[in-house]
Amino acid sequence: MGSILALLILCASAQYATSLTASTTSTTATSALFSPPLSSNFERIDDVIMGGVSKSSLGDKGDYMNFQGILREQDGGFCGFRTGPFARPIDGSSFDGIILRARFTSDSDSDKRTFKLTIRDDETRGEFVFQQMFDVPPPSGEWHDIKIPFDSLKAVRGPIINPNAKPFNSSNILQVGVVISKFKISSTMETLEDFRPGFFSMDFKEIGMYGGVRSLGGDVPAPSFNDSTQKKSPLLKVLGPLFKLVFSETSRRRRAAYLQLKKRSGKGWFHIAGLGFKARASNYGLLNAMITFGGRMSKDGIKFALGWTLKVAIFYPFRTLFRLKKRLRARGNEGEERKPA
Ligand SMILES: *[C@@H]1O[C@H](CO)[C@@H](O)[C@H](O)[C@H]1NC(C)=O
Ligand SMILES: *[C@@H]1O[C@H](CO)[C@@H](O)[C@H](O)[C@H]1NC(C)=O
């Protein structure tokens, strides 16, 4: 990026040298926000937030970041990552849009997924964000510069366009993210007809801003983040791990697997549990099967009881309180994202 920038500066200054002084020289340029992006700058937003079972991970590979996962359509169908809120807004008003230097690597069906840039121009962490879809060419080993103009961004709630929203304010950028999804951006929750679920993998070498005319005087500073652990309330710090235990991804996955089996075989829980028991018994012996299943059932029993106690005694009352409080201060935004993306 540095050399491209230098080249652009050279071209521009050669062209304008006669008419402008050095300190006010303007040029088109790119400015890197994340180069390379680091996994520690992002959090994942898989469809687990709405009860789905897709799963992804971010990995640092030296001069690029890898994003891979497994997309599952059941109860969702998206994986994504996003930065935390920037400590201070980034002023992108003298640029044309966001540029992603990226490549798709897992298979040649990149056109059977929807890719979206997600960006935010306010500090709320509500459901309303701005998005635009982009294409990623099939793998060739090459990096691609993918440009998403600010003025193409659409205000959305989940994958649904919000026609009444104000246009995107590029002088107040507070969060950037990427989603790979079966949902298109539409007004009717449209999905990609030939969506390909399963494994995907893609790489990101840079996330930045491109184009426009800007003064060479000041570079855009890289985004910084506030320490998010400070913002967590003490209650959430205590309850967080407890909720994780009870509503864990593992037990949700086990349940999803069970539902799939049930659908495929048309048989009930006892039948399926019986099959599992028999399989374990023939592989590991009857005693082992009894201990495993006894343990799992009592654990599930404890979790079930604990889960309902937590829900009734803590979660529902607090959620009600929280929603009431939100509604009182609501300016159109409500709660964290619980919609497809
Ligand atoms: C980050 O911290 C600064 C200083 O405490 C504060 O002004 C700013 O609003 C914070 N940003 C976010 C997104 O919380
Ligand atoms: C856009 O954001 C800037 C910086 O926060 C603010 O000064 C300006 O009023 C905003 N513009 C609109 C149209 O909201």
Side-chain angles (χ1 to χ4, degrees):
M1 197 41 44
S3 57
I4 296 176
L5 190 61
L7 196 70
L8 283 167
I9 293 167
L10 267 177
C11 294
S13 42
Q15 205 171 340
Y16 294 119
T18 48
S19 57
L20 294 167
T21 65
S23 62
T24 57
T25 300
S26 294
T27 179
T28 55
T30 60
S31 177
L33 297 175
F34 301 98
S35 179
L38 294 175
S39 61
S40 56
N41 287 330
F42 301 97
E43 59 191 20
R44 290 182 303 110
I45 33 158
D46 299 342
D47 56 19
V48 172
I49 56 169
M50 51 171 280
V53 286
S54 298
K55 188 176 193 170
S56 69
S57 62
L58 292 166
D60 297 314
K61 305 282 174 189
D63 67 342
Y64 66 91
M65 178 177 78
N66 173 256
F67 174 51
Q68 60 170 242
I70 297 172
L71 283 160
R72 292 194 179 90
E73 290 184 83
Q74 188 203 341
D75 296 329
F78 66 87
C79 290
F81 62 86
R82 65 180 180 194
T83 65
F86 300 157
R88 276 172 303 280
I90 297 282
D91 182 359
S93 57
S94 50
F95 293 87
D96 288 343
I98 295 290
I99 185 167
L100 307 170
R101 180 160 288 182
R103 64 183 180 197
F104 195 76
T105 58
S106 53
D107 54 75
S108 51
D109 283 338
S110 52
D111 60 341
K112 293 185 178 150
R113 285 85 158 187
T114 304
F115 302 90
K116 298 173 195 172
L117 175 82
T118 300
I119 194 164
R120 216 181 263 277
D121 69 356
D122 66 21
E123 283 190 31
T124 73
R125 307 210 77 192
E127 290 178 340
F128 291 101
V129 293
F130 287 85
Q131 282 190 332
Q132 183 54 285
M133 299 186 276
F134 58 86
D135 292 331
V136 185
S140 64
E142 303 281 305
W143 293 100
H144 301 283
D145 282 344
I146 298 157
K147 291 173 176 172
I148 301 114
F150 289 133
D151 61 14
S152 74
L153 292 166
K154 300 198 161 56
V156 295
R157 184 181 196 197
I160 310 240
I161 294 173
N162 172 17
N164 303 319
K166 286 187 294 185
F168 182 67
N169 184 352
S170 63
S171 50
N172 205 46
I173 301 172
L174 280 148
Q175 186 177 56
V176 178
V178 169
V179 176
I180 168 167
S181 172
K182 81 164 177 182
F183 297 96
K184 298 202 247 182
I185 297 176
S186 69
S187 46
T188 55
M189 198 95 161
E190 243 180 272
T191 56
L192 207 59
E193 260 164 45
D194 54 354
F195 172 68
R196 174 172 168 167
F199 182 73
F200 70 88
S201 182
M202 67 187 297
D203 299 330
F204 291 85
K205 200 176 175 70
E206 186 174 310
I207 299 175
M209 298 190 288
Y210 76 93
V213 175
R214 77 187 170 108
S215 160
L216 289 174
D219 215 352
V220 177
S224 58
F225 303 95
N226 290 349
D227 184 2
S228 63
T229 54
Q230 288 170 354
K231 278 191 306 201
K232 266 194 189 168
S233 71
L235 185 72
L236 211 65
K237 270 187 202 158
V238 175
L239 289 182
L242 215 55
F243 274 107
K244 251 192 199 143
L245 173 76
V246 176
F247 306 108
S248 76
E249 274 189 55
T250 329
S251 51
R252 216 158 34 205
R253 269 170 220 292
R254 201 154 73 207
R255 189 173 155 69
Y258 157 70
L259 287 176
Q260 288 247 322
L261 263 177
K262 190 174 158 186
K263 207 165 105 189
R264 224 178 291 159
S265 67
K267 299 275 169 41
W269 185 87
F270 274 104
H271 181 82
I272 290 167
L275 283 183
F277 185 86
K278 265 187 224 156
R280 184 136 198 124
S282 74
N283 283 333
Y284 299 96
L286 189 63
L287 188 65
N288 178 296
M290 281 168 73
I291 290 170
T292 306
F293 271 73
R296 195 174 288 173
M297 276 169 80
S298 52
K299 227 199 260 166
D300 283 353
I302 292 169
K303 275 188 182 175
F304 185 77
L306 191 61
W308 275 102
T309 312
L310 279 175
K311 266 191 188 169
V312 173
I314 299 171
F315 183 67
Y316 288 147
F318 271 95
R319 192 180 60 178
T320 311
L321 250 170
F322 184 72
R323 283 191 176 163
L324 270 175
K325 205 171 124 198
K326 271 249 141 139
R327 203 155 295 166
L328 287 178
R329 326 179 284 216
R331 286 186 305 257
N333 282 324
E334 240 177 76
E336 257 287 297
E337 283 155 77
R338 285 284 185 278
K339 291 273 188 306

